[in-house]
Amino acid sequence: FGPGARFWSAGFAKRARRRLAFNIGRGTGTLPVAFVSDVADLAVVSTVTPAAIGETFNCFMDPAPTWRE
């Protein structure tokens, strides 16, 4: 999510207020999301850091918000 991400930013909030969004179950399942600038930063750092070769990275928010949140 981030600037210009209409679905996950302002658009999702609008749908939730109009009750067009719904939870499955109690909404306690987690939603792995990443902010666009965090993804970009990770891409840059991982390409210029020799120790990153062959490694796996995760840039999702920790802790991840729940669907209800």
Side-chain angles (χ1 to χ4, degrees):
F1 67 96
R6 293 183 193 132
F7 183 82
W8 287 111
S9 298
F12 193 77
K14 285 179 187 177
R15 286 189 296 280
R17 281 193 297 273
R18 293 188 328 226
R19 303 213 184 261
L20 297 176
F22 62 91
N23 290 316
I24 296 173
R26 297 178 186 201
T28 57
T30 56
L31 175 64
V33 293
F35 193 71
V36 68
S37 65
D38 293 338
V39 176
D41 290 344
L42 178 60
V44 171
V45 169
S46 65
T47 58
V48 299
T49 306
I53 295 172
E55 297 297 323
T56 303
F57 299 93
N58 180 353
C59 62
F60 291 130
M61 292 176 65
D62 185 25
T66 65
W67 279 97
R68 180 174 298 283
E69 291 171 324

